[in-house]
Amino acid sequence: MTYQINETHDPNLRSWVESANDPDADFPIQNLPFVNFQIAGLNQTRIGVAIGDQILDLTSCGIVGLFSGEIACFAWEDPPHTLDNFCRWSQPHHRHSLRQQISALLNADNEEIAHDKRLQSSILVPLSMAEISLPFQIGDYTDFYCNIHHATNVGKMFRPDNPLLPNYKHIPIGYHGRASSIVASGTEIRRPCGQTAGEDNQPSFGPSKLLDYELEVGMFVGQGNDLGQPVSIGTAEEHIFGLCLVNDWSARDIQRWEYQPLGPFLAKSFATTISPWVVTLEALTPFRVPAVERTADDPKPLPYLSSPENETHGGIDLQLEVLLRSAQMREQNRPPYKLSRSNFKEMYWTFAQMLTHHASNGCNLRTGDLIASGTVSGPEKEARGCLLELTWRGTEPISLPTGEQRTFLQDGDEVIIRGYCEREGFRRIGFGECHGIVLPALPQSLRA
Ligand code: CA
């Protein structure tokens, strides 16, 4: 099922939740991103959608009977609910119907609810009262490398004459990451220790000195595929529940020593931060754009990675920003400093191509699997999505407003990723934030 622009995207829709009508709100009624949460003090997971500075508690809505049709048939009476069990139960047409029902429920024109404060308080939870957890129990995490600007920049540092390897324009490059260390936005990140070596190849063990972030976008698998059963490019998006922001923290010195011949390992697996809001593909419909145009010199993708629809609508116009706030900036009450901005429409391979390629050997993807895009950079210098690129391996330091300099991350640095979609004639929608502060490495005495 391909989503169409419909009444839920109408820019004139307003909600009786006033904070959602602020033009700068990330979560207006046109967005409706999903979240797993608990109400402070109640030890029970529920599912909701963000609306302004509130969460609409879908579990409560279901229990008081606000849903109709097939949506009313989900086991609302039987919490705990998670996005995992909702996704396993639902098909794309259920989610479309749920979105329509939630939109109508939150609409300012819904007189019945707009004036019923008692009902409102039973189905809304202020964000400040909610304990937000990871959206899914992530079974598998795959990280791609599908941005050609990032791949070219990193390639240039190591192979100036031949930055892109011969496979790059034929195959979406990826590797299997680590799911257990994925954390929700706000979780502190401990600087990893590991084995590193200089140019002399003499290794030592200790805290990483070249800690970096990577600006990425992730997709969550809604419905998986059976083992042995590939997914066609034409149906790939039916398997995508929605998108989030990803910071794929990376220890460049550990990576440099360990990555050959099998690829990244401990340089990546110590932590990955994601934004907890899952923005659905249907919410993103107005912001779909053609996939990156391949030049006359570029090879055409093989047929299994190719479809007219992917060419015309495979991309997403999603603006991305990375900001940094050092400990000193926090002490001086300075706002975060913008390091870079780029756009997800710059991806060489689309999410549909990544998912299709991933399953092309019969590998089964499962509900809640996270598939990340790879670092999202752009052609301009200010669009580079990690410090490795921005400071060109540390040779071009960045000056912060405090006068501090950065080549890589220092202890106490907070990295903040934001994402939002804007288009003339439509309401801006946002992804919320993906942020985390770097803690010092664990002292030797505390390493068990
Ligand atoms: Ca990565």
Side-chain angles (χ1 to χ4, degrees), residues 76-103:
W76 297 111
E77 305 280 349
D78 195 19
H81 297 133
T82 63
L83 288 179
D84 296 76
N85 57 35
F86 178 71
C87 267
R88 285 199 190 93
W89 174 81
S90 64
Q91 298 290 323
H93 73 270
H94 292 123
R95 291 175 212 149
H96 170 65
S97 165
L98 179 59
R99 178 177 165 87
Q100 286 183 311
Q101 292 188 34
I102 295 171
S103 177

Side-chain angles (χ1 to χ4, degrees), residues 14 43 365 382 417:
R14 294 175 65 80
N43 192 21
L365 306 175
E382 60 273 17
I417 295 176

